Amino acid sequence: MGRTFLMDDLERAVQALDEAGLVVAATGAGMSQESGIPTFRDALEGLWARYDPQELATRDGFRRDPARVWGWYNYRRGLIAAACPNAGHEALAKLEKLVPRVVVVTQNIDGMHRRAGSGVVLELHGSINRFKCFECDHPVDDAEIPLADSDGPLDPPTCKRCGSAIRPDVVWFGEMLPAGVLEEAESLAGSCDVMLVVGTSGLVYPAAALPFAARDGGATVIEVNTERSGITGTADIFLQGPAGEVLPAIVSSLEAGRS
Ligand code: BJW
Ligand code: ZN
């Protein structure tokens, strides 16, 4: 799917960014879709179309069947390791050279923003490349975790401190977001000049509340998404299209206006 918005909207977005001191880019799974990493809620290709979130993304699911959950995450970790940041990630990294301050607040666990060169990245839902004990939270070095090449069951390694199973350091449903990270994201959302919301369905809280906080704080909310989402009604400007096309178009236009 290509871009379907008016050039007028792109120009309004570029003008808001041109005048901004602090930009928060709030990103979701659609940001990495063009890197070949599946989203969650796409009806056909989303992870939740094939896998049950209650079984794979909750503490109860892990307790019931740790090998199933561990195998699935380890498989996804392999897919992510083989993927590369796309033009959208690169455009956000480049935006840092054009705006005084840019902070990426991502729901994604794939580490793509840092790999693309973004300097300040808040990971709301953790990272698939960090690990901790399911019971005592003791952190575990990723060098100790071999990759799997199928999504079949695989027994998790055990904690050196207490003997319980090791889990990925991601945030499952019903779990609190990492201490301090949400508070910082909320404060940035409330004080930014522009929030650029990219590739999220806007259905999962508390991340989905950030654009509302931005709007309440007086920011211009710009949304980039291939489809309308839970955020679209709140956005001042909706740029419909793939992140890997729309974000480079925004950044080139901003750059051209400066030269
Ligand atoms: C493109 C594109 C392209 C595609 N270009 N765009 C308030 C109200 C209601 C419920 C709750 C609430 N507060 C808390 C809850 C419960 C729950 C929740 O929100 N449930 C809802 C589903 C109803 N939230 C929680 O439990 C959170 N914890 C919490 O609140 O703690 C406090 C608490 C505890 C106990 C009780 C009460 C409060 C934790 C949420 C953790 C979410 N975890 C996951 C898994 C992470 C690990 C993993 O990867 O496996 O996070 S679920 C999954 O959804 C993942 C994502 O980060 C998250 C959001 O998904 P995202 O990024 O929006 O992806 P999609 O697939 O939904 O959308 C993709 C979008 O991209 C689409 O719009 C496409 O159109 C678009 N797109 N290609 C641009 N190329
Ligand atoms: Zn332990």
Side-chain angles (χ1 to χ4, degrees):
M1 187 202 187
R3 295 183 242 161
T4 60
F5 51 85
L6 300 169
M7 282 314 282
D8 212 29
D9 286 335
L10 181 75
E11 277 157 24
R12 283 170 59 219
V14 169
Q15 190 183 343
L17 288 164
D18 192 35
E19 291 165 1
L22 170 59
V23 174
V24 171
T27 68
M31 180 84 229
S32 296
Q33 185 265 342
E34 291 153 88
S35 294
I37 300 171
T39 65
F40 293 91
R41 293 172 183 80
D42 182 88
L44 292 176
E45 290 171 7
L47 290 169
W48 297 157
R50 290 180 55 206
Y51 300 99
D52 179 355
Q54 287 308 316
E55 295 302 322
L56 292 160
T58 64
R59 279 188 73 83
D60 282 349
F62 188 83
R63 215 175 264 119
R64 270 193 294 273
D65 196 344
R68 171 137 192 258
V69 176
W70 180 256
W72 186 63
Y73 273 96
N74 218 11
Y75 173 62
R76 285 176 58 206
R77 184 172 151 244
L79 293 181
I80 287 167
C84 292
N86 64 53
H89 297 108
E90 281 159 11
L92 282 186
K94 196 167 181 189
L95 190 62
E96 290 181 8
K97 298 191 170 60
L98 301 169
V99 170
R101 190 173 173 215
V102 178
V103 177
V104 176
V105 175
T106 188
Q107 295 175 77
N108 300 341
I109 60 169
D110 57 29
M112 289 290 161
H113 286 297
R114 282 211 185 89
R115 281 176 59 189
S118 281
V120 187
V121 183
L122 301 182
E123 292 175 320
L124 294 173
H125 293 163
S127 167
I128 199 162
N129 292 312
R130 288 195 304 267
F131 306 89
K132 64 181 182 183
C133 173
F134 181 68
E135 293 297 347
C136 78
D137 278 351
H138 186 61
V140 177
D141 194 334
D142 69 335
E144 295 171 38
I145 314 286
L147 284 170
D149 56 9
S150 91
D151 64 357
L154 184 69
D155 283 329
T158 50
C159 175
K160 288 197 174 99
R161 190 198 271 177
C162 77
S164 301
I166 299 300
R167 57 165 283 183
D169 190 1
V170 299
V171 181
W172 287 328
F173 287 112
E175 292 190 307
M176 303 299 282
L177 275 60
V181 175
L182 177 63
E183 290 75 4
E184 195 178 349
E186 285 170 338
S187 155
L188 288 161
S191 58
C192 65
D193 302 300
V194 172
M195 177 171 279
L196 198 47
V197 186
V198 186
T200 176
S201 55
L203 297 175
V204 174
Y205 284 82
L210 294 174
F212 294 89
R215 187 196 56 187
D216 292 349
T220 301
V221 177
I222 302 168
E223 183 186 27
V224 177
N225 199 310
T226 47
E227 308 289 338
R228 293 182 69 83
S229 76
I231 308 298
T232 312
T234 305
D236 296 289
I237 304 166
F238 175 47
L239 300 175
Q240 184 163 22
E245 291 181 29
V246 179
L247 293 172
I250 293 176
V251 170
S252 313
S253 188
L254 183 59
E255 217 175 11
R258 296 278 175 82
S259 58

